[in-house]
Amino acid sequence: MSDLVPADTTEDVRTRGAGVSRQVAVLPVGSFEQHGPYLPLATDTLVACAVAREIAGAYPVHLLPPVTISCSHEHAAWPGTVSISSVTLHAVVRDIAASLRRSGVDALVVVNGHGGNYVLGNVVQESSARGERMALFPAPEDWEAARERAGVVASLLTDMHAGEIETSILLHAHPEMLRPGYETSDFVADDRRHLLTLGMSGYTDSGVIGRPSLGSAEKGKELLASLADSFGAYFSLVTSDA
């Protein structure tokens, strides 16, 4: 369970906070949505937690438990998908940040595992405009650097959902969660200009858009290592005196 829910005690948090000039919390945000027939509904949460856990192993951050249901409306055509509204997700993250500030943690980095959580960008924009310390991670540039370092073949455009990147991270971090089928489920749909109107079902019957057959545990390990390295710039930004 420590892979998903931090095992810290209050004394652990107190001790870690005493050793830094500014405390930083890391909040994984996942989703509960279809990921084809071979990846679990909780894939985005597992990915966000894997990234956050890698960060916590490299930086003195306060690791929070994940938000496990978010904005997955484009996946509503598949059984098992559950969503909350963007307004609700906005409020949840804003409330968490406010609670952290009251307890002395004045910087929050949101680790987003689901591309459909567009509202998280608005949360960070609005918080920053109020003078609060918040960041959203990873950016597309961070994923691109990780893709290149790990030798991921598919582009970020092609590798949209349940593809090479997500399969690789789960093969590394949670191989027990995969079911057979990723080896033969490649499907490419690079032109998705009407995704917001049609949803995923307008582009894929299986729920997959990407090339999961190219996934490997080795790529998953390198993806996470690269993202942890990229996080350094975010950590410096939210802890700076500027």
Coordinates of all heavy atoms in Angstrom, one line a residue, residues 10-44:
T10 N 3.2 11.7 11.6 CA 3.3 13.1 11.7 C 4.7 13.5 12.1 O 5.2 14.6 11.8 CB 2.3 13.6 12.8 OG1 2.2 15.0 12.8 CG2 2.6 13.1 14.2
E11 N 5.4 12.6 12.9 CA 6.8 13.0 13.3 C 7.7 12.9 12.1 O 8.7 13.7 12.0 CB 7.3 12.0 14.4 CG 6.6 12.2 15.7 CD 6.7 13.6 16.2 OE1 7.8 14.2 16.1 OE2 5.7 14.2 16.6
D12 N 7.5 12.0 11.1 CA 8.3 12.0 9.9 C 8.2 13.4 9.2 O 9.1 13.9 8.7 CB 7.8 10.9 9.0 CG 8.1 9.5 9.5 OD1 9.1 9.4 10.3 OD2 7.3 8.6 9.2
V13 N 6.9 13.9 9.1 CA 6.7 15.1 8.4 C 7.4 16.3 9.2 O 8.0 17.2 8.6 CB 5.2 15.4 8.2 CG1 5.0 16.7 7.6 CG2 4.6 14.3 7.4
R14 N 7.3 16.2 10.5 CA 7.9 17.3 11.3 C 9.4 17.3 11.1 O 10.0 18.3 11.0 CB 7.6 17.1 12.8 CG 8.0 18.2 13.7 CD 7.9 17.8 15.2 NE 6.7 17.2 15.5 CZ 5.6 17.8 15.9 NH1 5.6 19.1 15.9 NH2 4.5 17.2 16.2
T15 N 10.0 16.1 11.1 CA 11.5 16.0 11.0 C 11.9 16.5 9.6 O 12.9 17.2 9.5 CB 11.9 14.6 11.2 OG1 11.6 14.2 12.5 CG2 13.4 14.4 11.0
R16 N 11.2 16.1 8.6 CA 11.6 16.5 7.2 C 11.4 18.0 7.1 O 12.3 18.7 6.5 CB 10.7 15.8 6.2 CG 11.1 16.0 4.8 CD 10.2 15.4 3.8 NE 10.0 13.9 4.0 CZ 8.9 13.4 4.4 NH1 7.8 14.1 4.6 NH2 8.8 12.1 4.7
G17 N 10.4 18.6 7.6 CA 10.1 20.0 7.5 C 11.2 20.8 8.3 O 11.5 22.0 7.9
A18 N 11.7 20.3 9.3 CA 12.7 21.0 10.1 C 14.0 21.2 9.3 O 14.9 22.0 9.7 CB 13.0 20.3 11.4
G19 N 14.3 20.4 8.3 CA 15.5 20.4 7.6 C 15.5 21.2 6.3 O 16.5 21.2 5.6
V20 N 14.4 21.9 6.0 CA 14.3 22.6 4.8 C 13.9 24.0 5.1 O 13.2 24.3 6.1 CB 13.4 22.0 3.8 CG1 13.9 20.6 3.4 CG2 12.0 21.8 4.4
S21 N 14.2 25.0 4.2 CA 13.8 26.4 4.4 C 12.4 26.6 4.0 O 11.7 27.5 4.5 CB 14.7 27.3 3.6 OG 14.7 27.0 2.2
R22 N 11.9 25.8 3.0 CA 10.5 25.9 2.6 C 10.0 24.5 2.3 O 10.6 23.8 1.5 CB 10.4 26.8 1.4 CG 8.9 26.9 0.8 CD 8.8 28.0 -0.2 NE 8.7 29.3 0.4 CZ 9.6 30.3 0.3 NH1 10.7 30.1 -0.4 NH2 9.4 31.4 0.9
Q23 N 8.8 24.1 2.9 CA 8.3 22.8 2.6 C 7.5 22.7 1.3 O 6.8 23.7 1.0 CB 7.4 22.4 3.8 CG 8.1 22.2 5.1 CD 7.2 21.7 6.2 OE1 6.8 20.5 6.1 NE2 6.9 22.5 7.2
V24 N 7.7 21.6 0.6 CA 7.0 21.4 -0.6 C 6.2 20.1 -0.5 O 6.7 19.1 -0.2 CB 8.0 21.3 -1.8 CG1 7.3 21.0 -3.1 CG2 8.9 22.5 -1.9
A25 N 4.9 20.2 -0.9 CA 4.1 19.0 -0.9 C 3.9 18.6 -2.4 O 3.9 19.4 -3.3 CB 2.7 19.2 -0.3
V26 N 3.8 17.3 -2.6 CA 3.6 16.7 -3.9 C 2.3 15.9 -3.9 O 2.1 15.0 -3.1 CB 4.8 15.8 -4.4 CG1 4.4 15.0 -5.6 CG2 6.0 16.6 -4.5
L27 N 1.3 16.3 -4.8 CA 0.0 15.7 -4.9 C -0.2 15.0 -6.2 O -0.3 15.6 -7.3 CB -1.1 16.8 -4.8 CG -2.5 16.3 -4.9 CD1 -2.9 15.4 -3.8 CD2 -3.5 17.5 -5.0
P28 N -0.2 13.6 -6.2 CA -0.5 12.9 -7.4 C -2.0 13.0 -7.7 O -2.8 12.8 -6.9 CB -0.1 11.4 -7.1 CG 0.6 11.5 -5.7 CD 0.1 12.7 -5.1
V29 N -2.3 13.3 -9.0 CA -3.7 13.3 -9.4 C -3.8 12.3 -10.6 O -3.1 12.4 -11.6 CB -4.1 14.7 -9.9 CG1 -5.6 14.6 -10.4 CG2 -4.0 15.7 -8.8
G30 N -4.6 11.3 -10.4 CA -4.8 10.2 -11.4 C -6.2 10.3 -12.0 O -6.7 11.4 -12.3
S31 N -6.8 9.2 -12.3 CA -8.1 9.1 -12.8 C -8.6 7.6 -12.6 O -7.8 6.8 -12.2 CB -8.2 9.4 -14.3 OG -7.6 8.4 -15.1
F32 N -9.9 7.4 -12.9 CA -10.4 6.1 -12.9 C -11.2 5.9 -14.2 O -12.4 6.2 -14.3 CB -11.3 5.9 -11.7 CG -11.6 4.4 -11.3 CD1 -10.6 3.7 -10.8 CD2 -12.8 3.9 -11.6 CE1 -10.8 2.3 -10.4 CE2 -13.0 2.5 -11.2 CZ -12.0 1.8 -10.6
E33 N -10.5 5.4 -15.2 CA -11.0 5.4 -16.6 C -10.4 4.2 -17.4 O -9.4 3.7 -17.0 CB -10.7 6.7 -17.3 CG -9.2 6.8 -17.6 CD -8.8 8.1 -18.1 OE1 -9.4 9.2 -17.8 OE2 -7.8 8.2 -19.0
Q34 N -11.1 3.8 -18.4 CA -10.7 2.7 -19.2 C -9.3 2.9 -19.8 O -9.0 4.0 -20.2 CB -11.7 2.4 -20.3 CG -11.7 3.5 -21.4 CD -10.7 3.3 -22.5 OE1 -10.1 2.2 -22.7 NE2 -10.4 4.3 -23.2
H35 N -8.6 1.8 -19.8 CA -7.2 1.8 -20.5 C -7.1 0.6 -21.3 O -6.1 -0.2 -21.2 CB -6.1 1.9 -19.4 CG -5.8 3.3 -19.0 ND1 -6.6 4.0 -18.1 CD2 -4.8 4.1 -19.4 CE1 -6.1 5.2 -18.0 NE2 -5.0 5.3 -18.7
G36 N -8.1 0.3 -22.1 CA -8.1 -0.9 -22.9 C -8.3 -2.2 -22.1 O -8.6 -2.1 -20.9
P37 N -8.2 -3.3 -22.7 CA -8.5 -4.6 -22.0 C -7.4 -5.1 -21.1 O -7.5 -6.1 -20.5 CB -8.8 -5.5 -23.2 CG -7.9 -5.0 -24.3 CD -8.0 -3.5 -24.2
Y38 N -6.2 -4.4 -21.1 CA -5.0 -5.0 -20.4 C -4.5 -4.1 -19.3 O -3.7 -4.6 -18.5 CB -3.9 -5.3 -21.5 CG -3.6 -4.1 -22.4 CD1 -2.7 -3.1 -22.0 CD2 -4.2 -4.0 -23.6 CE1 -2.5 -2.0 -22.8 CE2 -4.0 -2.9 -24.4 CZ -3.1 -1.9 -24.0 OH -2.9 -0.8 -24.8
L39 N -4.8 -2.9 -19.3 CA -4.4 -2.0 -18.2 C -5.6 -1.7 -17.3 O -6.7 -1.6 -17.8 CB -3.8 -0.7 -18.7 CG -2.5 -0.8 -19.5 CD1 -2.1 0.6 -20.0 CD2 -1.4 -1.4 -18.7
P40 N -5.3 -1.5 -16.0 CA -6.4 -1.3 -15.1 C -7.0 0.1 -15.2 O -6.4 1.1 -15.7 CB -5.7 -1.5 -13.7 CG -4.3 -1.1 -13.9 CD -4.0 -1.6 -15.3
L41 N -8.2 0.3 -14.7 CA -8.9 1.5 -14.7 C -8.1 2.6 -13.9 O -8.1 3.8 -14.2 CB -10.3 1.4 -14.0 CG -11.3 0.6 -14.8 CD1 -12.5 0.2 -13.9 CD2 -11.8 1.3 -16.0
A42 N -7.3 2.1 -12.9 CA -6.5 3.0 -12.1 C -5.2 3.4 -12.7 O -4.3 3.9 -12.0 CB -6.3 2.4 -10.7
T43 N -4.9 3.1 -13.9 CA -3.6 3.3 -14.5 C -3.1 4.7 -14.3 O -1.9 4.8 -13.9 CB -3.7 3.0 -16.1 OG1 -3.9 1.6 -16.3 CG2 -2.4 3.4 -16.7
D44 N -3.8 5.7 -14.6 CA -3.3 7.1 -14.4 C -2.9 7.4 -13.0 O -2.0 8.1 -12.7 CB -4.4 8.1 -14.9 CG -4.5 8.1 -16.4 OD1 -3.6 7.6 -17.1 OD2 -5.5 8.6 -16.9

